[in-house]
Amino acid sequence: MSRSSRRGSRRLAAAALAITASMFLASCADNGSSNGGGESADSGSSLKIGMVNEQADPGTPTKGGTLTFSGYSAVTTLDPAKAQVAGATGGSELSAIYDVLMRYDPIGQKFEPKLAQSLEASSDSKTWTLKLRDGVKFSDGTAFDSKAVADSINRYVTNKGPQSSLWASKVASIDTPDATTVVFNLVDPWTGIQSMLATGPGMIVAPSAQQGDQFTPIGAGAFTLEKFAPNEELLLAARPDYYDGAPNIDKLKLISIVGAQPTAEALKTGGIDAAYMRTLTPILDLIESGYPGFVDIPSLGYIANVNMAPGRPGSDVRVRQAMALAVDPETLNTRVNNGKGLPGQEIFQDTSRWHNDVATIGVDPAKAKELLDQAKADGYDGKITFLSIQEPSAQATALAIQAMLNAVGFDAQIEYVTGAGDLVKRMYADHDYDMSTAALSLAEADPYERLYTGIKSGGRNNATGYSDAEMDALLDKLGVATTDDDKKAVLAQIQERANETVPWQVWGNVAALDVWNQNVHGLEQSLDGIVLFDGAWKS
C-alpha cells in the first residue's frame, strides 16, 4: 500500500470512529437512567410514541426574535458527508441549513416530500423517480436542480458518508433526464431510499460548497450560517428567499447544554426555547409539568455488546445465552431506573409499529447455570469483564449486571474507563473488550439500515464480530421487503434467530423527547428525532 493510501485509510478509519462515537454517545450515554430521580412522575412504561401536552391553535404566527435550541450533543461539523445525521447528533441543526428532500411524518407513519415535489416508486420498487419543486434555490442563488442533487449524493458516497456503503450497494445508477427529475435505478427492490433521502444523503450541498479542500455550508434550507464555534454554538440567520417563504424567526441559536437536568432547568427558566433529551427523569418531569413535545422510542436503545472474537467468552453461543438468561431487565430497571424505564428483551417493544408476538429468550437462572456449566466443562473459566464509564448511572448498570452474572456462576469483573470516548474506542475501533453497554436505536421509519450495519457479517458498525449465515439471509430478505406486512414477517424471524444466536444482550429501550416552551409553535418532527425549524415561531 502506498504512503498516501495508508494516510487515506487512517483518515477514513478516524472518521468512521468519530461517527460511531457520536452515535454511541447519542444512543446510550444516559442509559435511560433516572440518575436516582424521585417519585414525582408516572412510570416510564406509560410512555408512548407521539405528541404530549398538545397546544391549542395559537392563531396567526408572529414574526421576529431568536429561537434557542439545545441539542443532545454539540455540533462538530456542518458537512452532511461527515456527520451521522440523527436528531441526537446534529440532524436538526444541519436540516436548518440544507433542508431534506423527504420528511418522515412520525404520526402518520409515512414519508412525504419536502424539498422534493414527489418521490414515486415503480411497481417493482427498483426504480424511484424524484421530482423537484419549482423555485428552490441554494442560498448562494444557484439553481437547485437535478444535476446538483445527483452531484451532492455522489459526493456523499465518494466521501464515504455514514450511510454511503449501504447506498452504494443498493443504488446502481442515477439518471437526470431533465432539470427537475432524478431517477434512482436500484440493484434490488428497496424502500429504504426514502429514509436515506430524509437524512444525510438527502441534505443537498450546493455545487459551490466544496472548493478543493475547503468546505462551506451552502444549502437550500431556511437558514444560513452566521457563526459557528464547534462544540459551542451555531448561529443561523433566516433566509428571506427560502422557497416556502421567509422563516418567522430571525435567528436560530443552536447549542448543547451538558447534562439533561441542566437542560431541563434552562427550558423552565427560559434560557432556551426547545431541546432534544434522552434522560428519563427530566423527560417524565417535563411531561408531567405540561411541556409540549414529541416522544420517540427507538428500538434496541438499551443493550450490551458482547465481543465474539476467537478467545473471548462471547465466542461461545452458550455463554451469550447464559448471560441473556441470567440478566432480568425488570430487576435492572428497578436498580438503575427506580422501576421507571422501558425494560424488555424483545427487539421491538409494544410501543413500536414493528412489534411482533414472538417470545423472547426469557429469564431463567437455572438454565443459565446449566449452559455455563457446559461451557466450563469445555474449558471456559467463567471469567468475563464488563467495560463501563465512571458515571453514576453507568456504574449502577455495571454493578447490577455483575451481581446477576455472578449469581449463576460467572466470575464477572468491572473495568472502568474515564469517559465514553475511551469506551467507544475500545469497543468499536480496538475491539478490546468482553462486554459493554451499547445501543442500535432502530428508527421507527425503517429499522433495516441499522440492523444491517450492526449485525450483518462485516457490517461497518458490527462491533461484536457477530456472524451468522442465517441471520445474513434474513437481513437480505428484509432489505428487499417492500410492504410493512412483509417487513414485520421478516422481523419476527429475526427475533426468533436472535433468541438462538444472541447478537446482543437486550435490556430495554430509552425514550427521547423533542420538547419546547408553551410560547413556541410550528416545530415539525421528522425521523430519528430530527426537528425542522422553517415554520417555527414564538408568541
Side-chain angles (χ1 to χ4, degrees):
M1 180 184 287
S2 70
R3 183 179 302 173
S4 62
S5 296
R6 287 195 296 270
R7 285 199 299 267
S9 297
R10 287 196 293 269
R11 283 195 296 270
L12 291 175
L17 177 59
I19 290 163
T20 300
S22 68
M23 278 297 297
F24 177 87
L25 290 168
S27 299
C28 60
D30 286 317
N31 291 339
S33 171
S34 64
N35 294 321
E39 297 297 325
S40 61
D42 293 335
S43 169
S45 62
S46 66
L47 290 173
K48 302 293 182 186
I49 296 171
M51 301 298 297
V52 292
N53 301 322
E54 293 190 64
Q55 296 156 288
D57 183 358
T60 304
T62 57
K63 296 283 188 177
T66 297
L67 188 147
T68 301
F69 174 82
S70 179
Y72 184 84
S73 55
V75 178
T76 58
T77 179
L78 299 182
D79 186 347
K82 295 182 179 178
Q84 179 70 53
V85 176
T89 51
S92 300
E93 293 86 339
L94 293 184
S95 294
I97 298 172
Y98 302 101
D99 215 327
V100 283
L101 289 169
M102 299 293 294
R103 169 193 171 246
Y104 181 68
D105 174 3
I107 302 298
Q109 299 180 348
K110 62 183 180 180
F111 287 93
E112 54 188 32
K114 190 73 169 61
L115 284 181
Q117 179 177 300
S118 64
L119 178 65
E120 300 292 339
S122 60
S123 59
D124 61 1
S125 293
K126 290 183 65 176
T127 302
W128 290 74
T129 301
L130 183 81
K131 297 293 290 187
L132 301 177
R133 293 183 185 275
D134 293 329
V136 179
K137 290 186 180 296
F138 291 107
S139 61
D140 64 355
T142 57
F144 185 86
D145 58 18
S146 60
K147 184 179 186 304
V149 170
D151 287 349
S152 177
I153 293 173
N154 287 332
R155 173 187 178 274
Y156 182 94
V157 174
T158 300
N159 283 281
K160 300 190 182 300
Q163 295 155 293
S164 60
S165 59
L166 183 56
W167 178 280
S169 72
K170 289 289 191 179
V171 181
S173 63
I174 302 175
D175 296 329
T176 54
D178 59 55
T180 62
T181 306
V182 184
V183 180
F184 302 98
N185 305 300
L186 310 186
V187 176
D188 299 301
W190 184 44
T191 62
I193 191 171
Q194 299 173 98
S195 291
M196 292 279 192
L197 297 179
T199 52
M203 293 183 175
I204 306 304
V205 303
S208 59
Q210 191 77 55
Q211 299 294 330
D213 292 334
Q214 182 68 34
F215 178 79
T216 304
I218 303 172
F223 298 87
T224 58
L225 178 64
E226 185 167 302
K227 175 187 175 184
F228 180 43
N231 291 307
E232 294 180 16
E233 176 186 275
L234 174 62
L235 185 63
L236 305 178
R239 275 184 65 187
D241 60 342
Y242 180 59
Y243 87 92
D244 201 25
N248 296 308
I249 55 175
D250 295 329
K251 306 277 186 181
L252 185 58
K253 185 178 181 180
L254 303 153
I255 62 174
S256 179
I257 298 172
V258 177
Q261 196 58 48
T263 302
E265 291 302 323
L267 190 71
K268 290 181 176 181
T269 59
I272 60 174
D273 300 300
Y276 176 90
M277 303 182 66
R278 291 184 63 90
T279 303
L280 185 61
T281 289
I283 284 176
L284 294 174
D285 175 60
L286 288 170
I287 291 173
E288 187 179 70
S289 299
Y291 283 80
F294 177 81
V295 174
D296 191 23
I297 306 177
S299 298
L300 292 182
Y302 189 25
I303 65 175
N305 280 341
V306 177
N307 195 344
M308 302 176 202
R312 295 283 181 172
S315 62
D316 188 329
V317 68
R318 296 171 299 182
V319 172
R320 303 199 303 272
Q321 290 170 338
M323 288 190 287
L325 291 162
V327 175
D328 183 355
E330 293 284 355
T331 299
L332 184 63
N333 180 42
T334 298
R335 295 186 183 182
V336 178
N337 299 322
N338 290 338
K340 297 187 178 189
L342 295 161
Q345 291 182 317
E346 58 269 69
I347 299 174
F348 301 101
Q349 295 186 355
D350 60 9
T351 54
S352 172
R353 68 189 182 113
W354 306 110
H355 176 70
N356 58 67
D357 294 326
V358 175
T360 62
I361 192 171
V363 179
D364 189 336
K367 187 175 179 181
K369 188 177 187 308
E370 178 184 335
L371 287 166
L372 180 57
D373 287 344
Q374 292 175 14
K376 286 181 176 179
D378 290 338
Y380 172 47
D381 61 8
K383 294 181 179 180
I384 191 162
T385 300
F386 188 94
L387 192 65
S388 175
I389 58 175
Q390 292 180 316
E391 181 273 333
S393 63
Q395 290 175 318
T397 296
L399 290 168
I401 297 300
Q402 180 187 43
M404 285 185 274
L405 292 180
N406 287 346
V408 300
F410 281 95
D411 179 5
Q413 302 296 322
I414 302 171
E415 179 184 356
Y416 289 109
V417 293
T418 304
D422 298 323
L423 189 150
V424 168
K425 184 176 184 296
R426 287 275 298 271
M427 196 180 342
Y428 288 92
D430 301 337
H431 303 289
D432 180 19
Y433 75 104
D434 285 343
M435 181 183 188
S436 186
T437 308
L440 280 187
S441 294
L442 307 180
E444 277 291 285
D446 188 348
Y448 168 70
E449 179 190 340
R450 289 182 186 164
L451 278 174
Y452 183 91
T453 59
I455 60 172
K456 178 79 170 181
S457 297
R460 73 183 307 274
N461 284 330
N462 187 336
T464 66
Y466 175 81
S467 181
D468 179 72
E470 186 172 329
M471 184 67 84
D472 286 346
L474 288 172
L475 291 169
D476 290 339
K477 187 177 178 182
L478 178 62
V480 298
T482 57
T483 69
D484 283 0
D485 285 345
D486 287 344
K487 291 176 184 179
K488 286 185 71 172
V490 180
L491 289 169
Q493 293 177 289
I494 287 175
Q495 176 72 71
E496 291 172 344
R497 189 60 181 165
N499 292 343
E500 298 171 7
T501 58
V502 198
W504 338 264
Q505 305 287 313
V506 183
W507 300 332
N509 284 340
V510 178
L513 178 68
D514 288 321
V515 61
W516 49 90
N517 277 313
Q518 288 286 356
N519 70 327
V520 174
H521 314 278
L523 297 180
E524 193 172 51
Q525 279 66 49
S526 188
L527 65 80
D528 222 0
I530 290 174
V531 178
L532 303 177
F533 298 101
D534 50 279
W537 60 283
K538 295 169 65 176
S539 57

